[in-house]
Amino acid sequence: MMTSQLLTCVAISVFCVLKASSLDTFIAAVYEHAVILPNVTLAPVSRELALGLMNRNLDLLEGAITSAAKQGAHIIVTPEDGLYGWNFNRESIYPYLEDIPDPQVNWIPCNHPNRFGHTPVQERLSCLAKENSIYVVANIGDKKPCNASDPQCPSDGRYQYNTDVVFDSQGKLVARYHKQNLFLGEDQFNVPKEPEVVTFDTTFGRFGIFTCFDILFHDPAVALVKDFHVDTILFPTAWMNVLPHLSAIEFHSAWAMGMKVNFLASNIHHPSKKMTGSGIYAPDSPRAFHYDMKTEKGKLLLSRLDSHPKHPVVVNWTSYASGIEAFSTRNKEFKGTVFFDEYTFLELRGVTGNYTVCQKDLCCHLSYKMSEKRADEVYALGAFDGLHTVEGSYHLQICTLLKCKTTSLHTCGHAVETASTRFEMFSLSGTFGTQYVFPEVLLSEIQLAPGEFQVLSDGRLLSLKPPSGPVLTVTLFGRVYEKDHKSNASSDFMAYTLTIMLIVITPILYSLSW
């Protein structure tokens, strides 16, 4: 009897301690890092030279980590490729790699640096976390030996992975994630045999992690939220902005809202490659964001977030749009290209109006009112329902109100960064065949509109007040994941062909569009 009572008291005490130690809010930090790049060479450098470069980048990261900790941050995220940059092949990346063990080994590299071989980068990251009492998220390269008994073993006898690591505030390795969806030019890395879904629990919520291009696919990104119920996503990235729909702050804030999670996005800062755009995003609104194409400086962002964000109302993305009749206009539809996808467009011809445009199974409805209809700017309502086949193959359903680059309709869908037209109101909806829709509002000079719009339960993206700046785009970006694996061989061949074309002509397109 006494033993039973003692165990009960112990259990209650443990529960009370855990409850008392949990936090309702936490301070998050992300660092947009101006990475120091290696000299361009496809020949491997010495391990000493590789460590020298990584330590120079770690010196900069250390400044950000220390500053964040002094300001009370509980966790800081640093970018993909933040230690060594890019432009590697399998051989030239090798000196930068370390063997990263499974976190189940219960390892604090700062305390036991040689337990898993020579791992100075992991040791330094661990010590930075421990000495500053902060969770540190970083992106490095992992190497794993293999042999002929493994039929998938590469010819050089090793797997190489683009890898995120997380060290807790004691310096312990608590998470390791191998990137699943590699982008163009990442031939130096291997894809893990199975998608990894990586989570870890803290006193300030449950966290999941994935990297850059992963965000456009179901696994592991959606699985982390849908099946593993994380509160916050950690997102190291080396993101090249692609307007009008895939600018970093635009899409990442929309993903947080669409998936109803906190989202900590840390991007590389390298304007010559269109790399900028980091943020701390809550499900209801961006809390802090940074976009800077003018300077070469890094940027530290901090903001307080709810540890367990309240889930907004459940959205039926097709409810409103499928319940109304198409708005009739006398405008003639025209075709336009947005990032190699052919959209169906209607020009907005009045200062106010109601428009409907359809493509395949998707019909997009727009109601709007401009402050004035300028003669020097053209806006259009567009719809796209199909397979995107450049730099990846994935199915999209997109409704968008966007500014055309010039007054010529053939420029609708081209990248544009500035606008002068102000809107009094807008309401956008569509007959989506997916529950995964991400609402974007982007203003002139690549600015977000926190607190200026909402998504209603019937699927309408609605302005709450006149936007604080001229509008570049208002978009509902839908992903139809279940169709991704139904593409036939001809689609796959087309994807390959267009990818090769993209590699060749992208520099020309950028020079024309920006």
Side-chain angles (χ1 to χ4, degrees):
M1 184 68 175
M2 292 295 293
T3 302
S4 176
Q5 290 176 334
L6 180 61
L7 290 174
T8 300
C9 289
V10 170
I12 292 173
S13 298
V14 170
F15 174 78
C16 290
V17 169
L18 290 173
K19 185 172 175 131
S21 65
S22 65
L23 301 174
D24 293 330
T25 65
F26 70 102
I27 297 176
V30 301
Y31 181 55
E32 181 160 309
H33 173 46
V35 62
I36 302 170
L37 297 172
N39 294 327
V40 178
T41 175
L42 295 181
V45 299
S46 68
R47 175 64 172 165
E48 289 72 24
L49 282 176
L51 282 173
L53 176 74
M54 288 191 286
N55 276 314
R56 290 172 65 197
N57 279 299
L58 279 165
D59 289 344
L60 296 176
L61 297 184
E62 179 175 355
I65 292 167
T66 302
S67 177
K70 287 180 178 178
Q71 296 177 69
H74 296 83
I75 188 168
I76 182 170
V77 185
T78 63
E80 179 186 25
D81 299 334
L83 295 183
Y84 44 66
W86 46 82
N87 292 330
F88 295 102
N89 58 27
R90 283 189 65 84
E91 292 73 30
S92 62
I93 192 67
Y94 186 71
Y96 298 86
L97 309 181
E98 292 187 357
D99 191 339
I100 306 169
D102 189 308
Q104 292 182 357
V105 299
N106 191 26
W107 180 39
I108 300 177
C110 191
N111 296 350
H112 305 284
N114 298 316
R115 183 178 167 190
F116 295 97
H118 188 55
T119 54
V121 174
Q122 292 172 81
E123 177 187 353
R124 187 168 179 189
L125 289 168
S126 170
C127 290
L128 285 171
K130 179 181 178 181
E131 292 165 2
N132 292 282
S133 298
I134 187 173
Y135 279 71
V136 173
V137 182
N139 177 264
I140 62 179
D142 187 12
K143 59 181 179 181
K144 290 288 179 285
C146 55
N147 56 46
S149 64
D150 178 359
Q152 298 181 41
C153 182
S155 58
D156 53 19
R158 61 181 182 265
Y159 291 106
Q160 300 180 169
Y161 300 110
N162 179 329
T163 309
D164 299 327
V165 290
V166 182
F167 295 93
D168 71 9
S169 56
Q170 303 301 312
K172 178 182 174 182
L173 178 67
V174 294
R176 179 197 68 185
Y177 168 70
H178 296 140
K179 184 177 180 182
Q180 176 67 30
N181 300 285
L182 299 176
F183 193 64
L184 295 176
E186 285 194 275
D187 297 336
Q188 70 271 32
F189 293 121
N190 298 105
V191 173
K193 295 178 181 179
E194 297 292 337
E196 299 176 355
V197 182
V198 175
T199 67
F200 61 95
D201 293 302
T202 73
T203 56
F204 46 96
R206 166 168 280 198
F207 287 75
I209 189 166
F210 57 83
T211 314
C212 204
F213 200 40
D214 284 327
I215 196 174
L216 283 165
F217 301 90
H218 186 279
D219 295 328
V222 174
L224 280 166
V225 181
K226 179 173 174 285
D227 301 325
F228 290 82
H229 311 292
V230 299
D231 301 301
T232 302
I233 291 292
L234 308 172
F235 187 65
T237 186
W239 191 279
M240 291 183 289
N241 291 295
V242 180
L243 292 167
H245 301 141
L246 289 172
S247 178
I249 60 173
E250 170 190 29
F251 187 65
H252 302 159
S253 61
W255 202 91
M257 182 174 283
M259 295 304 296
K260 304 179 178 63
V261 290
N262 297 324
F263 195 84
L264 311 184
S266 172
N267 198 5
I268 287 288
H269 187 77
H270 199 79
S272 67
K273 280 189 172 290
K274 315 299 181 189
M275 289 179 173
T276 183
S278 301
I280 299 171
Y281 309 111
D284 58 342
S285 183
R287 298 299 169 84
F289 62 92
H290 176 69
Y291 180 95
D292 172 23
M293 286 289 291
K294 297 178 181 178
T295 75
E296 302 296 328
K297 297 180 180 179
K299 179 70 173 181
L300 177 66
L301 301 174
L302 293 97
S303 185
R304 186 175 293 276
L305 292 169
D306 291 332
S307 301
H308 308 285
K310 295 181 177 67
H311 290 173
V313 65
V314 175
V315 177
N316 181 337
W317 286 104
T318 193
S319 176
Y320 177 81
S322 62
I324 65 171
E325 293 188 12
F327 299 124
S328 59
T329 67
R330 296 181 180 179
N331 292 15
K332 184 179 179 181
E333 294 179 350
F334 63 95
K335 301 297 183 181
T337 301
V338 179
F339 195 31
F340 297 91
D341 297 326
E342 188 178 71
Y343 282 54
T344 302
F345 281 112
L346 280 175
E347 180 187 357
L348 308 189
R349 291 186 175 174
V351 69
T352 185
N354 301 293
Y355 288 81
T356 297
V357 66
C358 300
Q359 187 179 103
K360 297 181 182 177
D361 295 329
L362 178 66
C363 285
C364 305
H365 305 299
L366 172 70
S367 298
Y368 72 93
K369 182 179 180 181
M370 298 173 178
S371 298
E372 63 171 328
K373 181 68 176 75
R374 298 175 61 98
D376 60 343
E377 292 190 335
V378 169
Y379 283 78
L381 172 65
F384 177 74
D385 183 359
L387 179 68
H388 177 79
T389 56
V390 175
E391 71 9 277
S393 180
Y394 43 89
H395 278 262
L396 300 172
Q397 285 189 324
I398 295 176
C399 293
T400 185
L401 156 67
L402 54 75
K403 184 205 168 190
C404 305
K405 187 178 176 85
T406 71
T407 55
S408 175
L409 295 183
H410 81 269
T411 67
C412 294
H414 292 194
V416 56
E417 290 190 339
T418 61
S420 299
T421 300
R422 292 182 176 269
F423 281 71
E424 295 293 324
M425 63 79 61
F426 57 78
S427 175
L428 181 66
S429 61
T431 57
F432 291 94
T434 177
Q435 61 177 312
Y436 298 107
V437 179
F438 310 112
E440 303 178 342
V441 176
L442 192 65
L443 305 181
S444 183
E445 305 288 351
I446 318 300
Q447 294 296 307
L448 300 181
E452 297 177 11
F453 65 93
Q454 67 176 348
V455 174
L456 302 184
S457 60
D458 61 10
R460 278 179 288 172
L461 171 54
L462 187 71
S463 58
L464 290 172
K465 56 185 178 180
S468 55
V471 168
L472 285 181
T473 179
V474 176
T475 302
L476 291 171
F477 188 105
R479 274 289 283 113
V480 191
Y481 298 109
E482 60 268 26
K483 288 187 177 182
D484 285 358
H485 301 296
K486 296 179 181 179
S487 302
N488 57 31
S490 63
S491 295
D492 293 336
F493 176 76
M494 181 63 71
Y496 173 79
T497 302
L498 289 175
T499 295
I500 297 301
M501 290 172 59
L502 178 66
I503 294 172
V504 174
I505 68 177
T506 291
I508 300 173
L509 292 175
Y510 272 137
S511 67
L512 293 174
S513 300
W514 293 81

